[in-house]
Amino acid sequence: MNRKKMTLPVFMSALLAGVLTSSYVHAESEHQHGPDAEHGHPPSPENAAIQARLGDTGTLMGTIAIPESVETCGDQPGVTRLLCLIDLLKSSVSDDALALMQLDYSVAEAKKWSNLPAGAFPSRPGIFLGELKVEQRGVVKAILMEATGIEENEGFDELLQTLNADDYIGTVSDDYKAGYSSFNSKLAFLGTPSKTGLWELYYGGHHLALSNTYKDGELIGATPSFRGIEPFHAFEMNGRTNIPMLQERDTFAALLNSLTPEQLKEAELEGTYRDILAGPQADDAIPDQQEGMSVKKLSDTQKVLLLKAIATYVDDINAIDAKKYMDKYRSEMDGTVIGYSGTTDLNSEDDYVRVDGPSLWIEFSLQSNKSTNEKGNHPHSVWRDKTDDYGGQTE
């Protein structure tokens, strides 16, 4: 698809209108999922405070169109257009809203991301989408589209489907109503967006974290990048069928099912993993020692399957930067290992797979449903880069 056409009304209407603590078996608690997180407790005082700050909560993100005002930023993709869109949004909000949205840069602030609903993790920085006017939320969509990939079920499309999932949960669950809705994700700019200096586009909510760090007009870090989804099966919401993370599961399952019995034995990890290791507030959780089977032992065909699985994460960012990351990870294949626990089909509780390279870290984990009151499982997944997390910044 020609990226230059992505802001045209025809394209927008077609794409958008419808639109562990320890991981081992002896640790029973899901990472960041305590008894008050997603298990039927009444709304917290934090949720009441959130609700009081929100405006129009009847217009869900999946139904909002990108406004014509974004056409003033042109159609040439890249940081120049991204900055124009950000300025367009910032110029349209009140001083109080801008104070929530525009913050000083710090890694400590960037680390305040979570997989939990809004009311269960209120310390996220930024402004709730529900605090913005409907047209302003449409500009947010344009910002996110510019900063992410445009493939089906990746990048921007995946973000929208994750928001649709929260709207879906709001129709079937009585707990954390204020947390399960598309207007409860948060947006912040850590540092002033510009072609000089350091800043981060921070965006996240339930089952979602986007952390794009820029320096002197270039993307220098696209991680941590967290994705989860519930329900995991295809579901209808906001005028479309949503299946945003099946491709991650299916590509990893294809890789695991291609392994010989000898390869499977070597790749199998000890213990049972109930969640990812390197999740929110777990920046130091990646093991020092690699575990699993060396990628050097894969056939050429199996290596292609592995790279396809990696691409389902890296393609969440724009194509030019995604290629840079894929080239780096491809060059590091000989130092990369894969590991798994559970079944190779990755469709059962506690199924788990990871990729651990010199730079790359990816985890995919299935656990029981928490929010929909449905039987079954849902995934948590993270992409980290050991050298580029938070843009490689330390403070």
Side-chain angles (χ1 to χ4, degrees):
M1 183 177 295
N2 188 341
R3 183 63 179 258
K4 290 184 179 181
K5 295 181 180 179
M6 74 176 184
T7 59
L8 297 178
V10 172
F11 176 79
M12 290 188 299
S13 62
L15 178 61
L16 298 170
V19 182
L20 85 197
T21 330
S22 169
S23 303
Y24 293 102
V25 66
H26 61 263
E28 294 297 326
S29 61
E30 180 184 6
H31 185 70
Q32 277 221 14
H33 282 282
D36 295 324
E38 295 184 70
H39 293 285
H41 286 245
S44 65
E46 290 87 354
N47 275 338
I50 291 169
Q51 195 68 37
R53 287 168 56 181
L54 302 180
D56 175 9
T57 59
T59 306
L60 304 178
M61 285 296 292
T63 66
I64 295 173
I66 293 179
E68 293 183 0
S69 60
V70 306
E71 295 179 5
T72 61
C73 292
D75 61 6
Q76 185 66 35
V79 173
T80 298
R81 185 170 187 275
L82 176 62
L83 293 173
C84 178
L85 292 168
I86 291 171
D87 287 342
L88 181 66
L89 175 65
K90 290 169 62 176
S91 67
S92 72
V93 302
S94 67
D95 290 343
D96 288 343
L98 185 60
L100 291 171
M101 184 187 305
Q102 180 60 69
L103 306 172
D104 292 337
Y105 179 85
S106 76
V107 173
E109 203 71 17
K111 288 183 176 181
K112 293 178 182 177
W113 60 274
S114 177
N115 60 286
L116 294 181
F121 193 80
S123 63
R124 285 186 184 91
I127 190 168
F128 288 106
L129 299 186
E131 295 182 82
L132 298 171
K133 296 177 181 178
V134 172
E135 182 170 335
Q136 292 166 342
R137 296 180 213 171
V139 178
V140 171
K141 276 188 168 182
I143 290 170
L144 295 175
M145 178 183 281
E146 192 61 45
T148 59
I150 60 171
E151 298 298 323
E152 185 179 9
N153 295 322
E154 303 288 356
F156 178 72
D157 190 41
E158 188 175 71
L159 298 186
L160 286 184
Q161 292 184 67
T162 305
L163 292 176
N164 289 343
D166 262 17
D167 289 336
Y168 175 89
I169 294 172
T171 69
V172 298
S173 175
D174 293 328
D175 60 320
Y176 280 93
K177 280 279 191 178
Y180 294 143
S181 32
S182 60
F183 44 78
N184 269 333
S185 291
K186 272 188 166 183
L187 174 76
F189 308 113
L190 308 182
T192 302
S194 70
K195 286 189 176 180
T196 61
L198 179 71
W199 61 281
E200 180 186 313
L201 171 60
Y202 175 109
Y203 175 75
H206 183 216
H207 279 156
L208 176 63
L210 182 152
S211 312
N212 276 15
T213 305
Y214 299 85
K215 185 175 183 181
D216 297 335
E218 294 187 0
L219 182 74
I220 62 169
T223 60
S225 179
F226 182 98
R227 300 293 185 274
I229 195 72
E230 187 180 348
F232 189 28
H233 60 73
F235 64 96
E236 300 294 324
M237 193 68 207
N238 290 333
R240 65 172 294 174
T241 300
N242 299 271
I243 49 169
M245 289 192 66
L246 289 180
Q247 76 278 12
E248 282 87 347
R249 191 275 305 278
D250 290 348
T251 52
F252 271 128
L255 171 63
L256 292 178
N257 283 311
S258 77
L259 300 181
T260 67
E262 293 77 15
Q263 288 174 321
L264 284 171
K265 183 176 181 180
E266 188 168 354
E268 188 169 13
L269 303 170
E270 293 185 4
T272 298
Y273 289 79
R274 299 205 181 282
D275 202 344
I276 60 174
L277 293 174
Q281 286 73 66
D283 295 296
D284 300 321
I286 296 175
D288 293 331
Q289 300 296 320
Q290 292 179 319
E291 300 175 76
M293 183 187 68
S294 171
V295 170
K296 290 189 289 186
K297 297 184 179 182
L298 295 178
S299 68
D300 289 344
T301 299
Q302 291 170 329
K303 289 178 182 178
V304 170
L305 292 173
L306 173 59
L307 288 168
K308 184 177 179 182
I310 294 171
T312 64
Y313 294 82
V314 179
D315 283 349
D316 285 337
I317 61 175
N318 73 82
I320 294 175
D321 290 312
K323 183 180 184 304
K324 295 176 183 177
Y325 274 104
M326 288 302 297
D327 287 346
K328 178 171 73 166
Y329 297 150
R330 190 178 287 107
S331 72
E332 296 176 345
M333 280 292 99
D334 283 352
T336 300
V337 303
I338 59 171
Y340 81 100
S341 180
T343 76
T344 58
D345 287 334
L346 299 177
N347 58 12
S348 301
E349 185 174 355
D350 300 334
D351 283 353
Y352 172 88
V353 62
R354 78 166 62 142
V355 183
D356 183 2
S359 302
L360 177 64
W361 177 266
I362 288 175
E363 294 178 273
F364 180 94
S365 165
L366 275 180
Q367 53 229 241
S368 61
N369 286 336
K370 300 295 190 298
S371 308
T372 57
N373 302 318
E374 298 176 357
K375 291 183 179 180
N377 306 296
H378 78 287
H380 284 183
S381 191
V382 73
W383 165 33
R384 285 183 177 263
D385 189 291
K386 300 173 189 177
T387 59
D388 288 351
D389 262 9
Y390 307 107
Q393 307 303 304
T394 58
E395 59 184 35

